[in-house]
Structures are given as structure tokens and as C-alpha cells.
Amino acid sequence: MKPKVLVTRRLLPEALAYLQEHARVEGGKSRRGLTRENLKAKIRDKDGLLCLLVDQIDRDIMDSAPRLKIIANCAVGFDNIDLGEARKRGILVTNTPGVLTETTADLTWALILATARKIPQSDRFTRNKRFRGWELDLFLGKELTGKRLGIIGMGRIGMAVALRARTFRMEVVYFDPCRLTPQEEKTLKAAFVPLDNLLASSDIITIHASLHPGTYHLISAENLRLMKKDAILVNVARGPIVDEKALARALARRQLWGAGLDVYEKEPAIQPELLRLDNVVLLPHIGSATYETRLRMAMMAARNLIQGLKGGRPDHLVV
């Protein structure tokens, strides 16, 4: 008999069809997520769970799933899952690493450019029929060529962002608890610096760190004050790495020039003041949102799930 699987939210059709070949599948077609009570009710008789990063899978949820063997997270990060609790119960947890590196690096640069050149503001201005002709000082932005790019978190995505900086002949510095090898630094033309040095000296700062207790509010009010007043901050990693209230205050007071955000501290909620500011670009968490990448993610999560349910070792095992 096929194992029973719960998919918490809409999955791309190709991945859902693959799951249906190997399991009895519930869910996977609705954009709306399950409430916690619905999730607890539906997971009771399931052997496997395919969830997204917006689904909080904690001890309470696991208590409702006595048959659960594996949780396949359709995301690179897995801070939405209580790994310690899963390990204690012998529940496998998988993720989808490596597939979104290039896409997220591209989105990072899209945010850098959109913020530096005031692209969204200019688009709204033009659509509102306010354009009356060329003006010398209309929507003056910031040049990137030759500036210093500071990268916080030099994993796959951070390195891909660094490689793209060559196009703009930028000086690249980075901070990461795990320093790159000398050869990697040479290849990327990136120099390791302490975090406070990076914050104080960089013109553009991008965040690509993972979320854990050590990075929660890493960009605090104090660290925001270290940044240049004409600096740009871009976050495509995890929202809670930045103290969102402090960032909103800093932007409102023009303590820094601008920001580009794809993630938020309490998604989908956004600090109300950010919504009113004209020096921040806000995106709805679309860092990996190309069809090709999201399909690779969905198929990887589906394969991880079926591998675990068949008693094998999933390709991308976290615990």
C-alpha cells in the first residue's frame, strides 16, 4: 500500500504528479496555507510531510503525527522546523540546497540596482503621468562602479553575488564565521574583514547568512549606526537577521540612503513605517522565484520525501 503524504500548500503540477505516482497525496493544490488546527488534524495519519518555509513544524505539530517518518522542506533554510524534536523522534528532515544559488544572486543584484537607481519610484512616477520631460536632477541615484560591496554570509549565494560584482569593478569585502580559503578569496577577489569594519566601510551591504540564535538581529540599531549615511542595505536571507523596527527608524531619519528587502521579520507582516517610506524597495519574498528554480526545488523536495518513505537515505538530509 502506498504511504500517505500531506502537502501543505500548492505545489507545481510536475512535482505533485511525481508524488502521486508513489504515494497517496492530500493537499498540494491550494495557495492558502493550513491553519495549525487543520494541519494537526490532517497530519495524524500521514507518513510523510512536504512543507514550505512558511509552515512552522514544531513539537506541537509532531505530537499530532505519530506515524510521521519524514519532513521534506521545500526550501534551502529549515529554521521553520524544530530539528531537535525531529531528531529525538527519529523523523528525517530534508531541504533543497544548491538549486537557487544563481537565481537568488540575480535577485540580489536586481534589488541593489532597483534601490540604487530608484527604479520602482521612477516607474510609479511615469505611470502616474507625472513625467514632463528630461530634468537634470530627476530621480538622482547612486553609481555602483568602483564602490565597496560588503557581503555578510559568504556561502554559495554570497559567492555568486561576489562574482557578479566584477561587472561593476567593485571592491568586495565579506564577513563570515567560516573564512574562505586563500584560493577562494583570490578567485572571488574578496577580502575578509570583521563585521564592524564591513558595516562602517561598505557602500552596499548584502545579507546572505542563515538564521540562527547568533544571527538574530545581527543588524541591530547599534550596527545600523555604524553604516555610512549614503549606504544601501539589501536583505534576501531571513527577515529576523535585521531588526526591522530599527531599520525603519534609520531609513526615516536618513541614517542610511536606502534599503532593498525581500524578506521580513514577521512575514507576511511588514513594519508599517517601511510601507510609507520612499527609500526602501519591498519585494514579496521572490528570491528564488523563477519557474525553472521553483520547479527544481519542488522536484527535489518530492524526491527527498519518497526516498525517505521507501527506506532509503534522502539525497539532501538535514537530520
Side-chain angles (χ1 to χ4, degrees):
M1 185 178 292
K2 291 181 179 180
K4 291 184 177 182
V5 165
L6 176 65
V7 181
T8 59
R9 295 167 189 256
R10 185 176 177 181
L11 202 61
L12 292 180
E14 296 92 331
L16 191 59
Y18 173 82
L19 284 179
Q20 289 168 339
E21 289 179 20
H22 300 277
R24 289 177 288 170
V25 180
E26 181 176 357
K29 296 181 180 179
S30 174
R31 288 186 181 275
R32 297 181 63 185
L34 298 171
T35 65
R36 284 187 65 83
E37 292 308 311
N38 280 340
L39 178 55
K40 288 163 67 174
K42 290 178 180 294
I43 204 173
R44 291 190 187 281
D45 63 341
K46 301 302 187 294
D47 305 291
L49 173 68
L50 194 153
C51 59
L52 278 68
L53 60 87
V54 291
D55 300 306
Q56 292 298 317
I57 311 302
D58 52 22
R59 183 174 64 180
D60 187 38
I61 297 296
M62 294 181 206
D63 280 342
S64 301
R67 292 174 47 177
L68 196 63
K69 298 180 177 66
I70 180 169
I71 302 167
N73 209 35
C74 190
V76 174
F78 38 82
D79 48 276
N80 58 311
I81 300 171
D82 187 333
L83 297 183
E85 196 63 35
R87 187 182 291 111
K88 284 195 300 186
R89 297 166 187 255
I91 299 172
L92 303 178
V93 178
T94 65
N95 69 335
T96 60
V99 296
L100 49 69
T101 298
E102 304 303 330
T103 304
T104 306
D106 288 347
L107 192 280
T108 301
W109 275 99
L111 261 178
I112 291 171
L113 286 162
T115 306
R117 295 303 303 272
K118 301 186 178 182
I119 302 298
Q121 299 93 320
S122 300
D123 178 80
R124 290 193 295 269
F125 179 87
T126 307
R127 288 176 187 274
N128 289 334
K129 299 181 180 180
R130 297 173 62 191
F131 179 49
R132 297 290 182 266
W134 187 89
E135 298 177 31
L136 184 65
D137 59 352
L138 184 64
F139 289 109
L140 297 180
K142 298 184 67 63
E143 291 190 11
L144 300 177
T145 301
K147 298 294 179 67
R148 174 177 272 205
L149 173 66
I151 298 175
I152 300 174
M154 196 58 117
R156 291 188 184 100
I157 297 171
M159 288 191 281
V161 169
L163 285 171
R164 285 158 173 75
R166 292 180 178 179
T167 303
F168 297 94
R169 302 192 299 278
M170 298 183 82
E171 176 190 5
V172 178
V173 296
Y174 77 96
F175 171 78
D176 193 296
C178 299
R179 185 169 177 174
L180 301 178
T181 66
Q183 183 56 49
E184 287 172 325
E185 291 184 348
K186 182 178 179 181
T187 299
L188 294 171
K189 297 183 179 178
F192 175 87
V193 295
L195 179 61
D196 57 353
N197 180 300
L198 182 151
L199 293 171
S201 65
S202 298
D203 302 294
I204 312 289
I205 296 170
T206 65
I207 302 171
H208 308 285
S210 58
L211 177 62
H212 53 77
T215 59
Y216 176 77
H217 280 191
L218 180 68
I219 305 303
S220 61
E222 180 180 358
N223 279 339
L224 285 165
R225 284 193 288 270
L226 294 177
M227 293 173 60
K228 295 181 176 182
K229 289 188 182 297
D230 62 348
I232 291 172
L233 177 69
V234 170
N235 187 11
V236 297
R238 286 292 184 265
I241 295 174
V242 176
D243 182 336
E244 202 167 292
K245 288 184 178 180
L247 175 61
R249 286 195 299 270
L251 289 167
R253 297 170 183 173
R254 306 291 169 171
Q255 286 179 224
L256 66 160
W257 196 83
L261 305 176
D262 187 44
V263 290
Y264 306 94
E265 189 167 351
K266 297 178 181 179
E267 285 186 27
I270 300 174
Q271 187 66 28
E273 189 170 8
L274 288 176
L275 299 171
R276 295 191 290 268
L277 295 172
D278 65 355
N279 56 345
V280 58
V281 178
L282 306 172
L283 300 182
H285 204 151
I286 58 169
S288 62
T290 65
Y291 187 83
E292 297 90 340
T293 294
R294 291 284 172 88
L295 179 58
R296 286 194 292 268
M297 288 174 64
M299 290 301 299
M300 184 180 288
R303 291 191 184 105
N304 285 336
L305 188 69
I306 298 305
Q307 287 169 344
L309 289 174
K310 288 186 173 181
R313 177 184 174 86
D315 290 335
H316 306 284
L317 189 64
V318 178
V319 298

